[in-house]
Amino acid sequence: MVYATDSAAERPRRLRFGMVGGGRGAFIGAVHRFATRLDDHMELVAGALSASEENAQASGAELGLAPDRSYASFEEMAKREAARPDGIEAVVIVTPNHLHAPVAKAFLQAGIDIICDKPLSATGADAEELVGLTRKTGLVFAVTLNNTGYAMVRQAKEMVAAGELGKLRVVHATYIQDWLTLPIERDGQKQAEWRTDPARAGSSACLADIGVHAHSLAGFVTSLDLAEVAADLTTFVPGRRLDDNAHVLLRYHGGAKGVLLASQVAPGNANALSLKIYGEKGGLEWFGETPELLRFTPYGEPSRTLVRGGPGNTSAAMRVTRMPAGHPEGYIEGFANLYRDAVSLIRSRRAGLPPDPSALASVPTVHEGARGIRFIEAAVASSRANGNWATVASGGG
């Protein structure tokens, strides 16, 4: 695929992008910026980096933004950047959950492609509106369910699709942390404060923050379609306004069964994400804290550990392998892999060219984002009904 290049170099011109949210003191905004720099395909030129105008300007100055492109509001940013001949070509949204939908809507209406942090929105109605608007505009809408960017996760997906596990039977997805074991939101801890606020996080804290990652990971690797859930959401910390622990049973179309566990009050667990998949012919196990390893066990044979960059890697894994085996890759590289594919899709759309099939198959879109919101809403409804099975809405995409 050929793109227009700078006259000074035989490489694609950097994509101009802006960021909403992610100012000083924000964890995930910095992660996104790190990821965009790894392949040097994007250049940050504008931002509405904070709800505080003072912090927005200070944050923009720290990042080298021109004062006239450091905006006080996302509405102003969308309007003015769309009118500039050198305006942004994509926006990265890294705000609290309740702002994802209004920010995305403003930029979609301005004709600007979207890269949005998870979850897609705070409500199902907002998610479906974004699906419809994306379909209407034809713009790219990527959702940074970033764990799909790891090389060995993509290896697992390719192995499942190739039938190496046979018909899938059992899926176990877990994401366990301990950082909310104490009520740190009451002490003003910024990340905890908004994540446990129903007005900004939505109907669930634990599922919207980390459970949606486990859900996305399972769906990405297995390609199974979730049918029903039976959930038990719990708030263990007294006075906390949203759940901090979730146990969810899963029923998939086609007969596979699963369980999803998410907790942010499990002492001794920093960031324990894992996926285990078992079929009639074998099993796969992947752990986020050792992301370069994938355990594969054909039934009746010894387990074997596949290593990123090593023998037995599939084409999907090798495509996003940056370093030789033994030279560790991890969290930022996974994010960067997703960004590289999202940029490919945006460039193709803007050039009127067909998208790269590998990128198209790898980037979580507004549709995957909406599936995550449908899962959350079904789980919340089930828990409120004392764990009764709740149907996961199929949606339109």
Side-chain angles (χ1 to χ4, degrees), residues 248-299:
V248 188
L249 296 177
L250 313 171
R251 288 176 177 168
Y252 292 96
H253 291 288
K257 302 294 179 68
V259 60
L260 186 149
L261 305 179
S263 182
Q264 293 173 306
V265 291
N269 291 276
N271 200 54
L273 172 65
S274 69
L275 179 66
K276 301 177 181 180
I277 309 165
Y278 306 108
E280 60 188 4
K281 293 167 56 178
L284 285 172
E285 298 180 356
W286 179 84
F287 300 87
E289 293 179 327
T290 53
E292 298 199 299
L293 307 179
L294 179 66
R295 187 171 182 261
F296 174 44
T297 309
Y299 178 69

Side-chain angles (χ1 to χ4, degrees), residues 106-304:
F107 283 90
L108 286 171
Q109 291 173 335
I112 295 169
D113 293 300
I114 309 291
I115 301 173
C116 183
D117 199 46
K118 60 76 205 168
L120 175 62
S121 62
T123 70
D126 283 343
E128 300 310 326
E129 183 180 16
L130 292 178
V131 169
L133 189 55
T134 302
R135 185 180 292 116
K136 179 180 178 180
T137 60
L139 294 167
V140 172
F141 197 129
V143 179
T144 54
L145 292 155
N146 59 288
N147 297 294
T148 63
Y150 286 107
M152 300 314 286
V153 166
R154 295 191 179 182
Q155 163 110 9
K157 178 181 179 67
E158 199 165 25
M159 292 175 69
V160 169
E164 294 194 47
L165 272 61
K167 181 177 174 61
L168 300 184
R169 293 171 170 172
V170 179
V171 177
H172 289 177
T174 65
Y175 205 154
I176 304 173
Q177 303 172 331
D178 66 2
W179 72 291
L180 290 178
T181 297
L182 298 177
I184 58 175
E185 63 269 29
R186 297 177 208 167
D187 299 326
Q189 210 277 3
K190 180 178 179 181
Q191 303 302 323
E193 198 270 333
W194 75 257
R195 281 174 168 82
T196 58
D197 177 6
R200 288 177 286 175
S203 59
S204 169
C206 190
L207 287 180
D209 193 25
I210 59 175
V212 72
H213 275 304
H215 167 268
S216 163
L217 185 63
F220 179 79
V221 172
T222 68
S223 297
L224 292 174
D225 188 17
L226 189 58
E228 294 179 293
V229 298
D232 182 14
L233 310 186
T234 306
T235 305
F236 280 109
V237 175
R240 180 164 286 160
R241 290 179 288 172
L242 286 174
D243 54 88
D244 46 32
N245 192 87
H247 297 164
V248 188
L249 296 177
L250 313 171
R251 288 176 177 168
Y252 292 96
H253 291 288
K257 302 294 179 68
V259 60
L260 186 149
L261 305 179
S263 182
Q264 293 173 306
V265 291
N269 291 276
N271 200 54
L273 172 65
S274 69
L275 179 66
K276 301 177 181 180
I277 309 165
Y278 306 108
E280 60 188 4
K281 293 167 56 178
L284 285 172
E285 298 180 356
W286 179 84
F287 300 87
E289 293 179 327
T290 53
E292 298 199 299
L293 307 179
L294 179 66
R295 187 171 182 261
F296 174 44
T297 309
Y299 178 69
E301 299 180 22
S303 297
R304 57 197 70 166

Side-chain angles (χ1 to χ4, degrees), residues 6-39:
D6 292 325
S7 58
E10 290 300 318
R11 61 161 293 150
R13 174 182 58 75
R14 293 183 185 90
L15 195 75
R16 297 185 299 272
F17 82 98
M19 179 170 279
V20 178
R24 295 185 303 176
F27 157 66
I28 203 63
V31 170
H32 282 256
R33 292 191 293 270
F34 295 156
T36 66
R37 294 171 191 156
L38 212 55
D39 291 307

